[in-house]
Amino acid sequence: MGRIFVVELEGRSYRCKFCKTHLALADDLISRSFHCRRGKAYLFTNAVNTTIGTPEERVMLSGLHTVADIFCCCCGQIVGWKYESAHEKSQKYKEGKFVLERGRIVDDVDFSTEFFIDSHANMSDGEDA
């Protein structure tokens, strides 16, 4: 297997919830009104740092589509799917677009507000080393 080159995105972005790898820019967000089996999902024009699974036919709420699961290239977790083709004319706008599941991504705003706790014991000035 070859070396993985990770793309670092400039600007507000969405990251993998599991390893914090950049996945998509907020500027590429098309819609927040998508749903999946696990909850809410967002539609993007582009996604980076992903690997694409095998395309398969799936019946979704909006009809029959050919989709491929997408995985984070760093940790391997499934993060959503890519629309390869739509079988209904009204759904053609989704072709080539990416859906990221909200429960599997974090917004830079979410990421910057996480709290990190130092688990090392600290010594005060009054204690002897």
Side-chain angles (χ1 to χ4, degrees):
M1 191 161 159
R3 181 179 293 198
I4 297 173
F5 291 95
V6 177
V7 176
E8 295 286 326
L9 297 173
E10 297 282 330
R12 184 175 166 204
S13 63
Y14 291 88
R15 300 171 181 241
C16 174
K17 176 182 178 178
F18 306 98
C19 69
K20 309 303 187 255
T21 299
H22 290 138
L23 297 174
L25 284 170
D27 290 342
D28 291 335
L29 179 63
I30 298 171
S31 175
R32 288 187 173 102
S33 63
F34 278 66
H35 295 277
C36 63
R37 284 175 260 173
R38 293 180 274 274
K40 292 183 178 185
Y42 294 170
L43 182 69
F44 291 87
T45 56
N46 192 30
V48 297
N49 300 324
T50 59
T51 56
I52 301 174
T54 305
E56 62 183 45
E57 302 279 319
R58 285 193 200 152
V59 177
M60 304 183 125
L61 293 174
S62 57
L64 183 64
H65 298 275
T66 303
V67 298
D69 288 332
I70 55 174
F71 304 87
C72 175
C73 72
C74 291
C75 68
Q77 289 286 330
I78 186 170
V79 291
W81 67 89
K82 180 181 180 184
Y83 283 104
E84 298 292 343
S85 65
H87 298 280
E88 295 181 26
K89 194 173 186 176
S90 66
Q91 300 298 309
K92 292 285 186 187
Y93 75 96
K94 296 178 183 176
E95 292 182 345
K97 306 291 190 304
F98 298 84
V99 174
L100 297 177
E101 297 180 19
R102 188 61 183 109
R104 296 179 171 272
I105 59 173
V106 291
D107 188 326
D108 269 348
V109 174
D110 299 337
F111 182 66
S112 65
T113 58
E114 287 183 5
F115 294 96
F116 296 97
I117 299 172
D118 185 2
S119 61
H120 299 291
N122 290 326
M123 296 176 63
S124 68
D125 291 341
E127 295 175 329
D128 293 328

